[in-house]
Amino acid sequence: MNENRRQILEMLSTGKITADEAERLIAALESGPATTVGEHMSSIPGSNGAAAGTVKTRAKYLRVLVEADEQMTGRKGPTSVNVRVPMQLLRAGVRLASLIPAQAHSQLDEALNRHGVPLTLSQIKPENLEELIDHLEDLTVDVDSRDVGTAKVRVFCE
Amino acid sequence: MTPNFAVLGIATPTRHMPRLWIPLFLLWIPVVLLSPLIFLTLAAVAIVTRTTVWRLISLCWGILSGLPGTDVRVHADGNHVLVRVL
């Protein structure tokens, strides 16, 4: 058995990573050039990369996973949405915000604040996005309610 | 690199459509033909937003170049929809 594969299976058996993460790691090992598990571990959000000697790589995509049950959506069977957005597109989008006229900024900020988003648009710059990406290793939002059902939202970089 | 293909896949519980490969690179033909009109539109937008045409072109190019790799998959009611930009 390949050494990297063995290492992944050991991490799975010790509970350091989930079955999904193990699958992604194995897929990455099979598709990518010869690298160590540690290098691939950095792409697994929430995993203890340090344990495997992580070499931090630059995230290329932002992935948003939404899973909702029948009760939440009112549809037959579970509903899932899986969106992968390239970071380059996000950066371009942030730059696009610079086209918003200065006089419109205050109105937009006010409207955002009114809707519970305390954000100052003029302060969002590509550098801020990089900081956000650096800190956004794994964000999971669980929406659980007895009345409306269960949904899981997961946002991470890969 | 600008997007060359878009892949569209739709599957319902009763019908499974083969994946549709849409050649986006062919869109360059109408873009080139309509370039004077596009340039005039960009100039108008540049005046309104108080920026330069070159900056606008750079922003549009950035968005266009960022599109490859976009992947959207939706599964609901037994229906699958896949949109992928390559």
Side-chain angles (χ1 to χ4, degrees), chain A residues 61 75-76 78-84 86 88-89 92 95-96 98-99 103, chain B residues 49 51 55-56 59 62-63 65-66 68-77:
Chain A
Y61 301 102
R75 294 173 183 276
K76 266 187 268 169
T79 299
S80 67
V81 179
N82 183 346
V83 181
R84 187 180 75 176
Q88 206 185 335
L89 187 63
R95 282 191 200 101
L96 198 67
S98 65
L99 287 183
Q103 56 265 45
Chain B
T49 57
T51 184
R55 188 171 156 70
L56 264 183
L59 284 168
I63 289 172
S65 308
T70 305
D71 190 318
V72 180
R73 289 159 201 254
V74 181
H75 170 69
D77 272 344

Side-chain angles (χ1 to χ4, degrees), chain B:
Chain B
M1 207 174 79
T2 55
N4 289 321
F5 283 96
V7 182
L8 179 69
I10 299 170
T12 63
T14 52
R15 197 171 165 215
H16 190 279
M17 187 186 93
R19 283 188 182 178
L20 204 65
W21 284 66
I22 303 161
L24 296 180
F25 62 88
L26 291 179
L27 287 177
W28 282 113
I29 299 165
V31 167
V32 168
L33 290 173
L34 295 170
S35 56
L37 202 67
I38 292 168
F39 191 79
L40 279 175
T41 311
L42 285 176
V45 173
I47 291 165
V48 170
T49 57
R50 292 177 187 174
T51 184
T52 63
V53 177
W54 307 119
R55 188 171 156 70
L56 264 183
I57 292 172
S58 148
L59 284 168
C60 291
W61 186 259
I63 289 172
L64 210 60
S65 308
L67 277 172
T70 305
D71 190 318
V72 180
R73 289 159 201 254
V74 181
H75 170 69
D77 272 344
N79 303 308
H80 290 269
V81 177
L82 159 79
V83 180
R84 208 169 177 186
V85 183
L86 302 172

Side-chain angles (χ1 to χ4, degrees), chain A residues 56-131:
Chain A
K56 198 176 181 186
T57 53
R58 201 182 170 91
K60 283 179 80 179
Y61 301 102
L62 176 79
R63 195 177 276 272
V64 182
L65 302 172
V66 183
E67 282 168 14
D69 65 6
E70 300 173 31
Q71 214 184 339
M72 171 70 86
T73 58
R75 294 173 183 276
K76 266 187 268 169
T79 299
S80 67
V81 179
N82 183 346
V83 181
R84 187 180 75 176
V85 185
M87 286 296 175
Q88 206 185 335
L89 187 63
L90 286 180
R91 287 188 192 100
V94 170
R95 282 191 200 101
L96 198 67
S98 65
L99 287 183
I100 300 169
Q103 56 265 45
H105 274 162
S106 57
Q107 290 176 13
L108 281 168
D109 292 343
E110 201 180 301
L112 284 169
N113 269 309
R114 218 175 25 244
H115 289 91
V117 186
L119 207 70
T120 311
L121 274 179
S122 55
Q123 286 179 357
I124 299 177
K125 294 183 173 71
E127 310 89 78
N128 301 132
L129 186 71
E130 298 302 328
E131 271 179 49

